[in-house]
Amino acid sequence: MTLLKYSFSLPTRVEFGEGVIKQAGKEAKSLGATKIMLIADKGVISAGLTQAVEESLREENLSYITYDKIVPNPRDIHCIEGYELAKKEGIDFLVAVGGGSSMDTAKAIGTLLTHGKTIRDWCGFQLLEREITPLIAIPTTAGTGSEVTPFAVITDTNTHVKLNIFDPKAAAKVALVDPGVLMKLPSGIMASTGIDAMTHAVEAYTCNLATPHTDAYALYAIDLIVRNLRQAVKMPTIESCTGMMLGSTIAGIAFGYSDVAAVHCMAEALGGRYDTPHGVANAVLLPTVTEYNIPANVQKHANVAKALGVDMTDITLEEAALRGVETLRELCRDVGIKKMREIDGIDPKDFPALAEAAEKNVSTPSNPRKITAKEYLELFHKAYEV
């Protein structure tokens, strides 16, 4: 192995297992919370997924308010509104329950509470001057991994570009990761968020910023997800939900401390323009972009194929890598992911602008194979025509 130097640390403590969601109150109290903002979208609240959290807060006699202006591809305007409410109410602690939108919104609110100014002022790599308001993150999907990542992705409503607060000081203090919450997750959401997690793992492993630590997390996450996603979508069991929640969180650690790459650059361009759900956008692009990247590191892509369960007997590394791509396509088909051309609103006339937006994404340099707007445009067309 080539000698290298890198740093690896996890600012978030993970509590994993059935029922850990009920520890929210005790955890908040132990971290010094006096008045809490509970951040969750209306769907999560109406599904009863915040009930155990709220009960635990009341049991510890902790005062809290709820902020529910959460949408997919979270908007800067809602983060600002949440911040202004939190400041008015004297909030000193945040609890986010839901998918990546709730957790990213919470991170942005926490950033504004401790830093002021605007979200755009803090978007970039390690620009924060201090830690954000203490946050407990509780995922209700197995996809984003935001409970353990050091960043928040927020859509600028003026430019329709996704901004990224990327700093370990934005990470949650504690992640309460409870696989039991997945048992009632709609199959379509399980599918799209599951492929989102797979994308995190594949890109974390193959990107230019990968390290031995993140490689280990990424390969294990690929294995967990491919073995459990179909079952979790079609007929969830606590075993398959445990595998998916583990896979998602472990993939979150992998890409949170390496990076993503061209799939995400393209998916975020789609999400910024069309509000396409992030997991769906990743899913329709993952096989096509992965195939494009194979020549950059055939060995690593063959390793991905092996983790996906490809039989490596009597085949070349290139053949294995290509079979890995087909395995990803089959997984997407099996869990009901639509083809890109079947998604409402996506218009090939927009592809040149989307390619330009993808090229400007902060993760473009992390892609293992050199890529510019020209190649992005070709990949948008290729994915659309699959």
Side-chain angles (χ1 to χ4, degrees):
M1 176 182 289
T2 303
L3 292 176
L4 72 168
K5 291 179 67 175
Y6 67 95
S7 176
F8 183 82
S9 64
L10 293 178
T12 303
R13 172 165 53 88
V14 178
E15 298 290 336
F16 187 96
E18 280 189 83
V20 297
I21 195 170
K22 298 175 183 177
Q23 296 174 200
K26 288 183 179 179
E27 291 285 357
K29 194 168 189 177
S30 72
L31 290 167
T34 61
K35 190 164 187 182
I36 296 166
M37 174 177 275
L38 176 64
I39 299 168
D41 68 60
K42 292 181 174 67
V44 165
I45 294 170
S46 64
L49 294 174
T50 63
Q51 186 174 336
V53 175
E54 294 185 66
E55 288 174 359
S56 73
L57 297 178
R58 289 192 292 267
E59 286 172 4
E60 299 297 329
N61 297 312
L62 290 169
S63 175
Y64 70 94
I65 62 171
T66 300
Y67 182 68
D68 64 3
K69 301 286 183 65
I70 312 298
V71 296
N73 301 306
R75 316 290 202 270
D76 54 358
I77 55 173
H78 297 128
C79 298
I80 294 166
E81 181 183 84
Y83 155 64
E84 290 174 346
L85 176 61
K87 187 177 180 181
K88 176 184 175 183
E89 295 288 337
I91 297 299
D92 62 9
F93 202 91
L94 304 170
V95 176
V97 183
S101 296
S102 295
M103 292 183 277
D104 284 7
T105 298
K107 291 175 185 177
I109 291 172
T111 296
L112 293 176
L113 281 171
T114 57
H115 288 75
K117 297 186 179 180
T118 70
I119 290 171
R120 182 173 283 279
D121 288 316
W122 307 111
C123 286
F125 184 68
Q126 295 192 4
L127 298 181
L128 300 190
E129 297 169 354
R130 60 194 70 87
E131 291 187 350
I132 68 169
T133 304
L135 167 66
I136 292 175
I138 304 173
T140 60
T141 66
T144 70
S146 185
E147 68 274 10
V148 289
T149 65
F151 41 74
V153 180
I154 306 297
T155 298
D156 184 321
T157 50
N158 289 321
T159 63
H160 303 291
V161 170
K162 290 198 171 189
L163 307 174
N164 199 334
I165 300 170
F166 195 154
D167 197 305
K169 292 186 283 295
K173 287 288 187 186
V174 178
L176 299 180
V177 187
D178 190 334
V181 303
L182 298 182
M183 290 295 290
K184 296 182 180 179
L185 192 68
S187 61
I189 296 177
M190 180 73 83
S192 63
T193 59
I195 300 296
D196 188 14
M198 178 65 82
T199 306
H200 294 154
V202 171
E203 292 206 298
Y205 183 69
T206 57
C207 80
N208 290 330
L209 296 182
T211 69
H213 270 79
T214 59
D215 282 355
Y217 281 102
L219 287 175
Y220 186 39
I222 292 168
D223 173 66
L224 283 168
I225 295 163
V226 77
R227 286 192 290 111
N228 288 285
L229 182 56
R230 291 177 176 88
Q231 179 77 55
V233 169
K234 295 176 181 178
M235 192 176 294
T237 61
I238 192 59
E239 291 79 13
S240 63
C241 288
T242 296
M244 284 307 303
M245 197 63 107
L246 268 176
S248 174
T249 296
I250 291 171
I253 294 170
F255 89 93
Y257 296 90
S258 57
D259 198 3
V260 287
V263 178
H264 271 73
C265 298
M266 297 171 72
E268 289 178 8
L270 287 174
R273 179 170 288 262
Y274 303 119
D275 209 23
T276 308
H278 182 63
V280 172
N282 275 329
V284 299
L285 295 163
L286 177 61
T288 298
V289 178
T290 301
E291 183 174 9
Y292 169 82
N293 281 329
I294 288 173
N297 193 324
V298 177
Q299 180 67 66
K300 272 208 158 185
H301 284 85
N303 293 346
V304 168
K306 185 176 181 180
L308 286 166
V310 171
D311 183 354
M312 309 292 284
T313 306
D314 297 328
I315 60 173
T316 66
L317 294 178
E318 289 86 352
E319 289 169 337
L322 288 170
R323 289 189 190 182
V325 170
E326 285 310 306
T327 301
L328 290 173
R329 290 194 198 282
E330 289 170 7
L331 181 62
C332 289
R333 285 197 298 266
D334 288 351
V335 299
I337 298 295
K338 290 182 177 181
K339 295 181 183 298
M340 187 175 173
R341 62 177 177 272
E342 296 171 345
I343 298 173
D344 291 341
I346 294 181
D347 187 345
K349 292 179 182 177
D350 295 329
F351 288 175
L354 290 168
E356 294 286 345
E359 183 183 45
K360 294 175 184 176
N361 191 291
V362 67
S363 293
T364 285
S366 294
N367 197 63
R369 185 176 176 186
K370 183 175 175 57
I371 189 165
T372 67
K374 177 179 179 292
E375 289 78 29
Y376 275 127
L377 179 58
E378 292 170 357
L379 289 171
F380 272 119
H381 281 292
K382 189 171 182 179
Y384 189 81
E385 291 158 8
V386 168

